């Protein structure tokens, strides 16, 4: 457990759901203080208890409302369905000032989730940047990692492409990718999140066509360590 982890608090908004709970588990295991955010504090407290149980009672995971979690954290991660993306962001906007914000949202439009349907802003992460304002540091990451991987302890056969508004923000997010036990790549500016978010529909399509549940991607021909 490194010292940086011990000093950092990560809020996972929508952390009661599948993807957020998985990420929260991985970061709690790495020694981070994790706050689970929800619209309903009781639901968040229940999700936090589930994660602590997975860790045999260890780890620091606490449940609360989304705005309270965002207020208390150094880094804020958003894992809600795209239909809830704007409203959730508006509800925590003031709490995000000066903090690193990591968007995991994929702009899926049910029922056609196997078809890429990007929003007018370009991507969910670019829309977040528009909502949060000029000074906000926004990173997009983890869109291609199935939640099925995250609550397990095994090696994950899928890499994480990290895009974001600055190199520094991407580097900070890559530390969290590493802490989650995953392989991450600096995939460039936030505009490139269009490709990464869109790739999720391609992976869902592959799952449907080939009877899998967690198709992923691996970068070849480069070394990141
Ligand atoms: N599941 C995956 O494998 C996966 C993989 C990569 C990326 N993602 C992306 O990650 C995000 C979360 O996915 P998920 O599968 O974890 O979703 P989920 O389980 O359906 O929902 C996550 C949480 O979002 C909150 N939420 C749901 N509907 C809401 C609404 N209408 N308004 C406000 N909050 C709402 C709920 O929290 P409360 O009820 O506690 O508020 C819920 O527990 C999505 O954008 C998804 O595309 C998912």
């Amino acid at each position: 457990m490194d010292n940086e982890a011990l000093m950092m608090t990560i809020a996972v908004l929508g952390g009661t759901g599948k993807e957020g709970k998985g990420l929260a588990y991985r970061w709690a295991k790495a020694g981070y203080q994790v706050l689970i955010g929800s619209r309903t504090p009781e639901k968040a407290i229940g999700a936090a208890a589930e994660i602590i149980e997975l860790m045999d009672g260890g780890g620091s995971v606490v449940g609360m409302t989304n705005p309270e979690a965002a207020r208390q954290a150094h880094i804020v991660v958003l894992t809600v369905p795209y239909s809830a993306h704007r409203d959730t962001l508006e509800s925590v906007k003031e709490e995000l000032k000066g903090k690193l914000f990591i968007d995991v949202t994929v702009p899926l439009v049910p029922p056609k989730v196997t078809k890429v349907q990007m929003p007018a802003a370009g991507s969910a992460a670019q829309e977040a940047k528009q909502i949060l304002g000029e000074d906000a540091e926004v990173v997009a990451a983890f869109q291609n990692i199935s939640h099925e991987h995250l609550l397990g302890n095994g090696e994950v056969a899928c890499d994480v492409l990290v895009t974001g508004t600055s190199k520094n923000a991407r580097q900070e997010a890559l530390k969290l990718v590493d802490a989650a036990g995953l392989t991450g790549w600096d995939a460039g500016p936030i505009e490139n999140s269009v490709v990464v978010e869109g790739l999720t529909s391609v992976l869902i399509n592959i799952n449907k066509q080939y009877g899998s549940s967690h198709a992923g991607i691996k970068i070849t021909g480069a070394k990141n360590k």
Side-chain angles (χ1 to χ4, degrees):
M1 196 176 296
D2 70 46
N3 287 340
E4 185 162 335
L6 284 170
M7 291 165 64
M8 294 297 259
T9 302
I10 307 173
V12 185
L13 312 183
T16 53
K18 299 179 281 292
E19 186 77 356
K21 204 182 291 174
L23 288 169
Y25 169 59
R26 293 266 171 161
W27 288 323
K29 254 195 329 180
Y32 286 86
Q33 321 280 314
V34 178
L35 308 177
I36 301 285
S38 168
R39 289 167 294 177
T40 318
E42 296 74 25
K43 194 171 163 188
I45 290 164
E50 272 179 53
I51 296 170
I52 288 174
E53 197 175 317
L54 273 178
M55 296 174 64
D56 293 329
S60 170
V61 189
V62 181
M64 58 193 69
T65 63
N66 285 323
E68 187 54 25
R71 191 182 69 75
Q72 289 189 28
H74 301 105
I75 300 169
V76 180
V77 180
L78 182 61
T79 58
V80 294
Y82 180 62
S83 57
H85 184 248
R86 176 173 291 276
D87 284 354
T88 309
L89 271 174
E90 297 280 8
S91 76
V92 297
K93 184 176 170 180
E94 290 308 309
E95 316 299 346
L96 296 188
K97 291 211 161 89
K99 296 179 182 176
L100 175 63
F101 171 69
I102 303 179
D103 206 342
V104 184
T105 308
V106 180
L108 299 177
V109 185
K112 293 237 175 237
V113 294
T114 56
K115 182 172 142 183
V116 178
Q117 300 178 79
M118 303 310 278
S123 65
Q126 285 173 284
E127 198 170 303
K129 171 80 181 145
Q130 282 182 356
I131 294 167
L132 297 178
E134 263 313 294
D135 299 336
E137 288 279 29
V138 176
V139 163
F142 303 105
Q143 288 87 354
N144 306 144
I145 303 288
S146 163
H147 71 277
E148 291 191 17
H149 287 304
L150 296 171
L151 284 172
N153 296 310
E155 199 179 318
V156 178
C158 182
D159 288 355
V160 180
L161 300 178
V162 175
T163 63
T165 46
S166 72
K167 187 158 185 68
N168 188 44
R170 297 193 294 272
Q171 290 304 321
E172 287 305 306
L174 281 164
K175 287 184 197 166
L176 295 191
V177 175
D178 199 42
L182 304 168
T183 300
W185 299 89
D186 183 334
I190 196 74
E191 287 76 8
N192 294 2
S193 61
V194 176
V195 175
V196 186
E197 292 180 13
L199 194 52
T200 303
S201 285
V202 175
L203 295 173
I204 295 171
N205 186 65
I206 288 171
N207 282 336
K208 275 204 167 169
Q209 300 292 326
Y210 297 91
S212 52
S213 60
H214 45 264
I217 53 135
K218 276 266 167 214
I219 298 300
T220 62
K223 281 194 179 143
N224 70 352
K225 281 184 185 151

